[in-house]
Amino acid sequence: MGAQLRVYKRRIRSVSATKKITKAMEMIAASRVVKAQRKVAASTPYANELTRAVTAVGTGSNTKHPLTTEAENPTRAAVLLMTSDRGLAGAFNSNAIKAAEQLTERLEREGKEVDTYIVGRRGVAHYKFRERKIAESWSGFTDEPTYADAKKVAAPLIEAIEKDTADGGVDELHIVFTEFVSMMTQTALGARLLPLRLEEVAQDKPQGEILPLFDFEPSAEDVLDALLPRYVESRIYNALLQSAASKHAATRRAMKSATDNAGELIETLTRLANQARQAEITQEISEIVGGASALADATAGSDR
C-alpha cells in the first residue's frame, strides 16, 4: 500500500510541474496575441487601400497586366501555405494544411499544375514526410513576422507571376492562411491574390460612390508594374500577421485546456492518494488491534 501511495505522490508532482509550464505558456500566448492583433489592425487599412488603388488602375485603363488580366487558358498556379514553426496550437496547422490540400485538389481538377510554397516548419515537415514537392519554403519568423519577411516570401512569387508558363511561371497566385476572427474563432481559408478579381473588389465599394477619373503617368502599365510588388507584399504581410495572431490564440486556448485538464488530474490523483493513505492507516490500525487482541489472549491463557 505504501508503494502505491508513493506512485500517486510522484505523479502529482509530475503533473503539477506540467501544469506550471502550460500555465506559463498560456500567459505568454495571451500577451503575444494582443500584440499581433494590434499589428493586424495597423496593416489592414494599408492593404485595403492599396487594393483599391490597383482596382482603380485596372478599371480605369485597358492595359493588360498580370496583376489584373485573366489568362485565356491558365495551366499553372502557385499556392502559398502559411503554417507555424512550432506546434502546441491545437488544430491550427492541420486546418491550414487541409485547406491547402483541398485548394490544390480543386486546381488540379481544373487542369492546372500546382507549385506549392510553404511558410512554417510544420507545413514543410508535413509535405516532406509525404514526399510532396515543395517549390520553396521559409521558416523562423512565424511568431512575429515583419514586413521584411513578407518581402522575402513575395519575391519568388512575384517573379513566378511575371514569367511565362513555358519558363516556369504561373498564371495564378493563391494564398492559404488562418484568418483571425476572434480569440475563440480562427478560420483557415484560401484566397486568390493574382490576377485580382476587379469585379469582387468593386462590390465592396459603398453604394452610390462615384468613381473618379484618373490620369496615369507615365502610363497605366508602369503604374501597375510599380504596384504589383507592393500589392503582393502587403497582402502576404497581412496574412502572416493574421496567421500569427490566430496561432497565438490557438496556443492560448490549447494551453488553457491543458492547464485545466492537469488541475482535474491532480484532484483525481490527490483523492486516490488520500484513499490509499486512509487504507494504509486502516490496515495499520487493524494490525495493531489484532496484535493487541492476540497478546491479550496469550496473557489470559498463561494465567490459567
Side-chain angles (χ1 to χ4, degrees), residues 80 82 119 149-151 153-155 157 173 175 193 231-241:
L80 174 62
M82 293 187 177
V119 174
D149 297 323
K151 292 182 67 175
V153 174
L157 297 172
L173 172 58
I175 184 171
L193 288 186
Y231 168 76
V232 176
E233 290 166 5
S234 66
R235 281 299 172 184
I236 289 178
Y237 181 53
N238 186 260
L240 285 172
L241 294 177

Side-chain angles (χ1 to χ4, degrees), residues 137-184:
S137 62
W138 303 267
S139 60
F141 54 81
T142 57
D143 282 352
E144 295 183 4
T146 63
Y147 196 83
D149 297 323
K151 292 182 67 175
K152 181 170 60 177
V153 174
L157 297 172
I158 295 171
E159 183 180 355
I161 199 71
E162 289 178 337
K163 285 182 179 179
D164 293 332
T165 53
D167 298 328
V170 297
D171 298 309
E172 297 177 358
L173 172 58
H174 300 259
I175 184 171
V176 178
F177 67 101
T178 305
E179 182 184 21
F180 181 86
V181 181
S182 67
M183 290 294 291
M184 297 303 297

Side-chain angles (χ1 to χ4, degrees), residues 1-47:
M1 193 65 69
Q4 186 178 11
L5 181 59
R6 286 194 296 273
V7 170
Y8 286 138
K9 287 184 177 179
R10 185 163 58 247
R11 289 192 63 190
I12 288 173
R13 287 195 297 270
S14 176
V15 175
S16 297
T18 302
K19 182 180 178 181
K20 290 180 181 178
I21 294 173
T22 56
K23 183 63 177 178
M25 293 180 68
E26 176 189 348
M27 296 176 67
I28 292 171
S31 64
R32 287 180 175 177
V33 73
V34 173
K35 295 178 182 178
Q37 279 182 280
R38 292 172 182 168
K39 290 182 178 179
V40 170
S43 69
T44 300
Y46 173 76

Side-chain angles (χ1 to χ4, degrees), residues 212-268:
L213 298 176
F214 294 97
D215 287 329
F216 304 108
E217 294 291 345
S219 66
E221 185 175 0
D222 291 333
V223 172
L224 287 173
D225 286 338
L227 288 177
L228 173 60
R230 301 292 180 269
Y231 168 76
V232 176
E233 290 166 5
S234 66
R235 281 299 172 184
I236 289 178
Y237 181 53
N238 186 260
L240 285 172
L241 294 177
Q242 294 262 8
S243 293
S246 299
K247 189 269 179 184
H248 294 318
T251 298
R252 176 183 175 275
R253 190 167 59 251
M255 291 301 100
K256 185 180 186 307
S257 177
T259 302
D260 294 342
N261 292 338
E264 294 176 2
L265 182 56
I266 290 172
E267 292 179 1
T268 301

Side-chain angles (χ1 to χ4, degrees), residues 180-201:
F180 181 86
V181 181
S182 67
M183 290 294 291
M184 297 303 297
T185 305
Q186 299 87 41
T187 306
L189 53 85
R192 195 180 81 171
L193 288 186
L194 296 174
L196 184 64
R197 291 188 175 96
L198 300 179
E199 65 276 5
E200 292 184 1
V201 179

Side-chain angles (χ1 to χ4, degrees), residues 276-289:
R277 184 167 177 271
Q278 291 171 358
E280 184 177 353
I281 294 173
T282 302
Q283 183 178 356
E284 291 176 355
I285 293 175
S286 299
E287 292 174 353
I288 293 172
V289 171

